[in-house]
Amino acid sequence: MNADAPTGYDPRVGHDQLLALIDNTSAVIYMRDLDGRYMLVNREYERLFAVSRDTIVGLTDHDLFPSGIADEFRANDLQAAARGRPVQMEEVAPGDDGPRTYVTVKFPLIGADGAAYAVCGISTDITERKRAEEQVRRLNAELEDRVLHRTAELHASNRELDAFAYSVSHDLRAPLRSLDGYSQLLLEDYGDRLDADGRDYLERLQANVARMAGMIDDLLNLSRATRIELHRGTVDVTAIAIDVLAELRTAEPDRQVRVSVADGLAAAGDADLIRLVLQNLLGNAWKFTSKRDDAAVEVGAEPGGILFVRDNGAGFDMRFAGKLFEPFQRLHAASDFEGTGIGLAIVHRVVTRHGGRVWADGTVGGGAVFRFTLAPQRGLPA
């Protein structure tokens, strides 16, 4: 007996405690000597592979498993023994429902001489996780295929819509040009033979032709705002606003409008589409201030990446604000202010495609302000 051992010490107690420890775990635990012969297995090993610890001692993996699997187990044992430290790997062993995957840690057992004499393995079954991962990969692959297929369909649909839009534009504009041209000829060549009512009818015809042409342009712009590919970059909003306002002044040089554009306005987005936003917002501001002698239009920014266009024009009743951005919705009579009712729908489409929001505040006769962002923001109205 060891002189240092406590009185009544039984070396079998340590062995029994070891077995109790390894038998009460869900991991598979085993020991093999450097020749690959089993020295010990736990109850989980016995349960999974239908062997008993009494009969497995002295056997090798080649006695229990197919040669390919046994060769892999043997190679992993020798790797752990050669490295002299724990080694982790994945191993596959047969199971009742097919191959099962284990994450295994193998480490050498070192003798008194400092050399390895056996290898211990602790294997944890991760089959369900691996199967779930494989299912996720398979579903992702199927989803990717569906997305690619759907994208191809959308591209084809967009090409068809482009062709249709071009056809509609071309086919509608031709008769409109004829109507406009012939009505102008009637006024020029036969105007002196027409009474006031006749001339008024022709002028109304020309006005409606112009309105129809404008509606075609707006519908094409609405389609373009929805389908065109975004080319994002840093956009000089100040420069675009100044340019759009200059175009409006050129079209109506007699209008006296006080304009203010803040310096340094910039945004991240598609420059062409942002120009479309400003053309519609500033065009509305210019139009709805036409009945004021002190007309004013302002373009600026507020904290949080918010841009705005403000005017002191006709304004609108906030009870109907929800209709502002719907196509063909008008809050003012066509006799008061011309328009197709599509401009703000274009603004909404463009802003939404950039991930932003647009909203408006106004009072009847007290002007309006349209605010928008070109990126998602927290705490803003929907």
Side-chain angles (χ1 to χ4, degrees):
M1 178 181 294
N2 188 335
D4 296 327
T7 303
Y9 170 76
D10 185 346
R12 292 175 300 175
V13 173
H15 181 268
D16 293 341
Q17 289 175 332
L18 173 62
L19 286 179
L21 176 63
I22 66 174
D23 282 342
N24 286 279
T25 177
S26 61
V28 179
I29 300 176
Y30 45 88
M31 294 181 190
R32 292 189 282 259
D33 64 24
L34 295 187
D35 292 325
R37 293 186 298 267
Y38 276 90
M39 301 168 62
L40 174 70
V41 297
N42 70 342
R43 295 295 183 196
E44 185 65 9
Y45 191 108
E46 291 181 303
R47 184 186 69 81
L48 287 177
F49 301 113
V51 296
S52 73
R53 61 179 55 168
D54 296 330
T55 60
I56 198 175
V57 173
L59 299 181
T60 70
D61 284 325
H62 286 85
D63 298 317
L64 304 172
F65 302 106
S67 60
I69 294 176
D71 289 343
E72 182 182 356
F73 290 170
R74 177 68 175 149
N76 290 338
D77 286 359
L78 294 176
Q79 180 187 16
R83 292 193 179 183
R85 58 180 176 79
V87 178
Q88 180 173 304
M89 73 286 292
E90 286 188 9
E91 294 182 322
V92 178
D96 293 338
D97 58 348
R100 301 195 70 83
T101 304
Y102 297 84
V103 60
T104 297
V105 176
K106 293 186 176 181
F107 55 92
L109 300 177
I110 308 301
D113 60 355
Y117 67 88
V119 172
C120 180
I122 303 175
S123 300
T124 303
D125 192 336
I126 59 169
T127 303
E128 299 309 320
R129 191 190 79 191
K130 297 290 285 187
R131 290 176 178 173
E133 290 174 352
E134 179 58 31
Q135 184 177 12
V136 169
R137 280 193 293 269
R138 185 168 57 254
L139 291 173
N140 284 339
E142 292 176 0
L143 179 60
E144 186 174 350
D145 287 342
R146 291 180 183 177
V147 169
L148 290 174
H149 180 68
R150 182 58 177 159
T151 300
E153 289 181 339
L154 288 174
H155 283 319
S157 177
N158 281 341
R159 287 193 296 269
E160 292 175 0
L161 285 172
D162 286 336
F164 175 75
Y166 174 81
S167 176
V168 168
S169 173
H170 181 271
D171 293 346
L172 286 179
R173 287 180 194 278
L176 284 177
R177 283 193 296 268
S178 295
L179 285 171
D180 185 56
Y182 283 121
S183 61
Q184 185 62 36
L185 286 174
L186 281 172
L187 281 174
E188 293 174 356
D189 297 342
Y190 299 94
D192 55 346
R193 304 183 192 180
L194 298 174
D195 59 15
D197 287 339
R199 286 192 296 272
D200 181 59
Y201 293 154
L202 283 176
E203 289 170 356
R204 286 173 181 267
L205 175 62
Q206 287 185 313
N208 278 284
V209 167
R211 183 169 180 271
M212 186 66 180
M215 185 172 293
I216 292 173
D217 288 337
D218 284 346
L219 285 172
L220 289 175
N221 281 331
L222 181 60
S223 175
R224 175 170 168 263
T226 301
R227 295 180 293 103
I228 191 173
E229 181 180 356
L230 291 180
H231 297 283
R232 294 181 181 272
T234 301
V235 179
D236 188 339
V237 176
T238 294
I240 293 177
I242 291 173
D243 190 40
V244 171
L245 287 166
E247 293 173 355
L248 292 169
R249 281 195 185 281
T250 300
E252 294 185 78
D254 296 332
R255 284 281 311 273
Q256 297 297 316
V257 181
R258 177 168 50 85
V259 300
S260 173
V261 181
D263 293 330
L265 299 179
D270 185 293
D272 291 337
L273 292 181
I274 292 175
R275 173 178 286 272
L276 203 54
V277 168
L278 290 173
Q279 283 175 336
N280 281 284
L281 292 181
L282 289 172
N284 279 353
W286 193 270
K287 174 173 62 179
F288 289 117
T289 56
S290 61
K291 300 183 184 300
R292 293 190 65 112
D293 295 331
D294 60 343
V297 176
E298 178 186 3
V299 182
E302 296 175 351
I306 300 172
L307 298 169
F308 68 81
V309 173
R310 178 182 286 115
D311 67 73
N312 64 345
F316 61 90
D317 190 331
M318 285 295 291
R319 290 180 300 168
F320 307 109
K323 296 182 177 181
L324 281 173
F325 303 103
E326 297 178 8
F328 305 110
Q329 294 293 328
R330 295 175 51 86
L331 302 188
H332 301 88
S335 57
D336 293 331
F337 299 99
E338 294 181 353
T340 61
I342 300 176
L344 290 180
I346 293 172
V347 171
H348 184 266
R349 293 281 180 91
V350 172
V351 169
T352 300
R353 286 200 63 196
H354 280 78
R357 293 179 179 177
V358 58
W359 66 103
D361 293 293
T363 55
V364 176
V369 55
F370 286 81
R371 295 179 173 87
F372 64 96
T373 67
L374 294 169
Q377 301 283 328
R378 293 182 177 178
L380 298 183

